[in-house]
């Protein structure tokens, strides 16, 4: 039995209890509704209906049975590099890094990693960093607990240089700049991150690679590794990632079925001491979008 306590923060928007809990706990909404039906959720000590409108200051308690999970089949991933300590794979868009992303029973990168690591972590074996569900590109996986600790330290000390390729709405000015804006969880919408004074330090460098009518192709280098960092930073300067419905317009343009964001390069020193520079070209869905834009230039 897992017992969770939450307090709705000041300034939070009034919304349905089931919607709020699904976002706050990263659970599918139907799972939350089952908990509510079983009276496993109380608001200020009393059971409430899914339609109850949460209010700032409400005290929520969730008593959740720990489910027995049948491991999903391991996805087939393209291995870009492998040695005795690590491997680097190309993650496709739509594949979650690990369980808990609201996609119960779906394969994850963790399911793949479980077959390539001796790391005993039951939920995130070998995982030392992450990409958002709808972001594609390069991911490092540790093959042992020792290499996992080493790689985690490399990320913590900002010794891993990450490059992303992204298409944004509009044309940033200047064409090349550094965004230094602190980020933290949005108190009103738990799934979002926002620029918040006093939040965690976040630094993103970008430069424009090419411009099109209404859009620009950028290279982005996050110096820190905050959740949704590139997406929030670019949206904060008025140029959201094309296709990002969480931080940009609600309708995806250009025939996109996900955000145009791809982890295209990694540069770091492996546990063996070897200096690695690895690249991943844009996947076909993003190549097709770019080709259509180039016809308009």
């Amino acid at each position: 039995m897992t017992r969770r306590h939450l307090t709705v923060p000041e300034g939070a928007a009034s919304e349905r209890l089931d919607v709020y809990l699904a976002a706050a706990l990263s659970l599918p909404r139907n799972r939350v509704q089952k908990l509510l039906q079983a009276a496993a959720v109380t608001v200020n000590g009393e059971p409430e209906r899914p339609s109850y409108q949460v209010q700032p200051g409400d005290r929520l308690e969730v008593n959740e049975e720990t489910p027995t999970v049948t491991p999903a089949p391991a996805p087939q991933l393209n291995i870009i590099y492998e040695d005795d300590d690590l491997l680097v794979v190309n993650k496709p868009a739509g594949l979650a890094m690990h369980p808990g992303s609201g996609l119960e029973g779906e394969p994850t990168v963790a399911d793949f990693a479980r077959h390539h690591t001796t790391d005993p972590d039951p939920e995130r074996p070998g995982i030392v960093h992450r990409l958002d569900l709808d972001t594609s590109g390069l991911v490092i996986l540790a093959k042992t607990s020792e290499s996992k600790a080493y790689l985690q330290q490399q990320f913590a000390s900002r010794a891993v240089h990450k490059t992303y390729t992204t298409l944004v709405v509009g044309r940033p000015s200047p064409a090349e700049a550094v965004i230094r804006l602190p980020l933290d969880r949005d108190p009103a919408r738990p799934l979002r991150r926002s620029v918040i004074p006093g939040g965690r330090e976040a630094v993103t460098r970008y430069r424009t690679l090419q411009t099109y009518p209404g859009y620009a192709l950028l290279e982005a280098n996050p110096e820190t590794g905050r959740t949704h960092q590139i997406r929030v930073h670019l949206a904060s300067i008025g140029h959201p990632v094309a296709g990002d419905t969480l931080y940009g317009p609600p309708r995806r343009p250009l025939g996109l079925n996900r955000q145009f964001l791809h982890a295209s390069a990694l540069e770091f020193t492996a546990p063996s001491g070897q200096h690695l520079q690895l690249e991943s070209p844009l996947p076909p869905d993003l190549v097709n979008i770019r080709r259509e834009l180039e016809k308009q230039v």
Side-chain angles (χ1 to χ4, degrees), residues 6 8-9 12-13 15 19-26 184-193 227-228 246-247:
L6 303 89
V8 180
E15 61 183 328
V19 173
Y20 182 85
L21 282 176
L25 301 178
S26 297
D184 216 329
R185 189 181 296 274
D186 188 328
R189 299 178 64 182
L191 286 184
R192 287 172 54 105
R193 299 302 189 272
T227 300
H228 300 175
L246 187 60
Y247 298 106

Side-chain angles (χ1 to χ4, degrees), residues 21 25 55 62 69 117 136 153 163 179 183 185 205 250 270:
L21 282 176
L25 301 178
Q55 302 296 324
V62 182
V69 178
T117 183
S136 54
Q153 178 56 38
T163 301
I179 305 172
L183 303 179
R185 189 181 296 274
R205 297 180 180 273

Side-chain angles (χ1 to χ4, degrees), residues 5-186:
H5 297 271
L6 303 89
T7 300
V8 180
E10 293 298 325
S14 178
E15 61 183 328
R16 287 175 56 105
L17 176 60
D18 54 351
V19 173
Y20 182 85
L21 282 176
L25 301 178
S26 297
L27 290 175
R29 189 171 169 186
N30 62 353
R31 171 66 179 154
V32 171
Q33 290 173 336
K34 288 178 182 178
L35 290 171
L36 288 162
Q37 291 168 3
V41 178
T42 61
V43 180
N44 302 320
E46 299 292 336
E48 285 289 355
R49 300 184 306 275
S51 60
Y52 171 81
Q53 298 289 310
V54 298
Q55 302 296 324
D58 279 348
R59 300 184 308 279
L60 314 180
E61 181 176 309
V62 182
N63 295 304
E64 185 179 5
E65 292 284 350
T66 303
T68 301
V69 178
T70 301
Q76 298 299 310
L77 298 180
N78 182 23
I79 298 175
I80 303 298
Y81 172 85
E82 183 172 10
D83 62 23
D84 292 339
D85 301 302
L86 63 92
L87 49 83
V88 179
V89 300
N90 228 344
K91 185 188 90 67
L95 180 68
M97 290 294 301
H98 49 75
S101 303
L103 301 174
E104 290 183 302
E106 292 294 322
T108 66
V109 173
D111 295 314
F112 173 87
R114 195 168 285 112
H115 295 275
H116 296 270
T117 183
T118 58
D119 175 25
D121 186 331
E123 291 190 351
R124 305 183 185 190
I127 293 178
V128 296
H129 69 126
R130 63 184 297 275
L131 295 181
D132 295 335
L133 177 68
D134 283 333
T135 298
S136 54
L138 298 177
V139 173
I140 305 172
L141 300 173
K143 297 176 74 172
T144 67
S145 55
E146 293 79 13
S147 60
K148 183 179 185 180
Y150 168 88
L151 290 164
Q152 287 174 328
Q153 178 56 38
Q154 290 291 291
F155 276 98
S157 61
R158 305 182 186 179
V160 180
H161 184 72
K162 299 165 287 185
T163 301
Y164 291 73
T165 303
T166 183
L167 185 76
V168 300
V169 178
R171 299 183 180 185
S173 180
E176 183 173 351
V178 180
I179 305 172
R180 300 179 185 273
L181 294 171
L183 303 179
D184 216 329
R185 189 181 296 274
D186 188 328

Side-chain angles (χ1 to χ4, degrees), residues 187-215:
R189 299 178 64 182
L191 286 184
R192 287 172 54 105
R193 299 302 189 272
S194 297
V195 174
I196 295 179
R200 303 180 71 189
E201 178 194 17
V203 181
T204 303
R205 297 180 180 273
Y206 75 84
R207 68 183 182 94
T208 302
L209 302 176
Q210 192 168 353
T211 59
Y212 309 99
Y215 298 92

